[in-house]
């Protein structure tokens, strides 16, 4: 699992680790994007009739933070989830930009290895190891698109075991909302990625984002939809950095949205006295509201 401290190292040389461009599941109307992503139940291309209410949709599993543990309870299979799914977060949002609610799902495949251990709580018998995190969107017209969730470093894609929805909001020039996912959480902070729908595909924004942190490294990001073009600003703080006459060294990276993609347009580094504020090390309100499904997401 990638921690914020790894991101800080990259930030000091003017980079946040990016995607290598892969990861889109394409036009997955049959639900086959990713090794475990498929449409359960009947073989119809549509999961429900156009404009119909979503029926029996799965709910977010709030009782365990699978992003940090890679273990989750098993969720019952239904028309929206394949067998042996868990680590589920779900919400409704207008991802296609058509003015109608789509269903956004994030889930992982669970193996058969119980998390139980001698002398441990009996509830752990119901938790299993997770892998192959998948993002799926069931559109208002009944069709489904999905993609395996991955991060990239130095031109390599890294498949994510568990992810969680943390925010969904319209932050760029494309008509639909963007999806923000937490892909790691440890004591030194959290990492997130963003996806958008473009030409029937779920497309990664191409930047690994960071927020939260500890006594030595912290980070946060804001979305500025009013800018032209809309921007995202990532802040990374290093405590007591050599060569900086200040308590913290802050690196600020500015990205511009081009469709669902983020392209870096500016970078600056400077000293800052005093501790970073809670707002500076959170997911900005412009990117939210932050989803309640993730207990480590900042409000």
């Amino acid at each position: 699992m990638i921690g914020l401290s790894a991101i800080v190292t990259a930030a000091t040389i003017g980079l946040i680790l990016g995607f290598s461009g892969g990861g889109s599941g394409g036009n997955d109307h049959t639900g086959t994007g990713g090794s475990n992503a498929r449409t359960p139940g009947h073989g119809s291309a549509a999961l429900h009739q156009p404009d119909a209410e979503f029926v029996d949709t799965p709910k977010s599993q709030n009782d365990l933070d699978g992003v940090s543990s890679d273990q989750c309870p098993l969720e019952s299979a239904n028309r929206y989830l394949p067998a042996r799914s868990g680590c589920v977060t779900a919400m409704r949002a207008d991802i296609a930009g058509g003015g109608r609610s789509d269903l956004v799902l994030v889930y992982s495949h669970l193996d058969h290895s119980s998390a139980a251990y001698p002398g441990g709580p009996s509830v752990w018998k119901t938790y299993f190891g997770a892998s192959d995190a998948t993002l799926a969107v069931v559109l208002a017209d009944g069709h489904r698109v999905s993609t395996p969730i991955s991060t990239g470093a130095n031109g390599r894609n890294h498949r994510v075991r568990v992810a969680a929805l943390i925010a969904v909001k319209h932050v760029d020039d494309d008509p639909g909302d963007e999806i923000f996912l937490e892909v790691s959480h440890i004591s030194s902070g959290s990492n997130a990625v963003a996806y958008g729908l473009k030409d029937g595909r779920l497309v990664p924004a191409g930047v690994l984002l960071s927020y939260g942190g500890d006594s030595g490294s912290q980070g946060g990001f804001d979305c500025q939809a009013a800018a032209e073009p809309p921007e995202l600003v990532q802040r990374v703080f290093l405590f007591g950095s050599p060569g900086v006459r200040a308590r913290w060294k802050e690196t600020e990276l500015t990205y511009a949205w081009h469709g669902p993609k983020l392209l870096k347009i500016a970078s600056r580094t400077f000293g800052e006295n005093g501790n970073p504020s809670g707002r500076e090390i959170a997911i900005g309100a412009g990117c939210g509201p932050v989803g309640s499904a993730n207990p480590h997401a900042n409000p």
Side-chain angles (χ1 to χ4, degrees), residues 218-271:
Q218 301 185 23
F221 61 91
D222 288 323
C223 296
Q224 300 178 352
E228 186 57 48
E231 296 176 351
L232 182 146
V233 178
Q234 168 76 68
R235 295 173 299 278
V236 177
F237 301 88
L238 273 176
F239 181 78
S241 300
V244 177
R245 294 182 179 179
R247 184 176 178 85
W248 295 85
K249 179 170 74 172
E250 177 179 353
T251 298
E252 186 178 275
L253 305 175
T254 302
Y255 297 90
W257 291 96
H258 291 267
K261 290 287 187 179
L262 285 169
L263 301 179
K264 190 173 73 173
I265 59 173
S267 175
R268 67 188 185 114
T269 299
F270 51 93

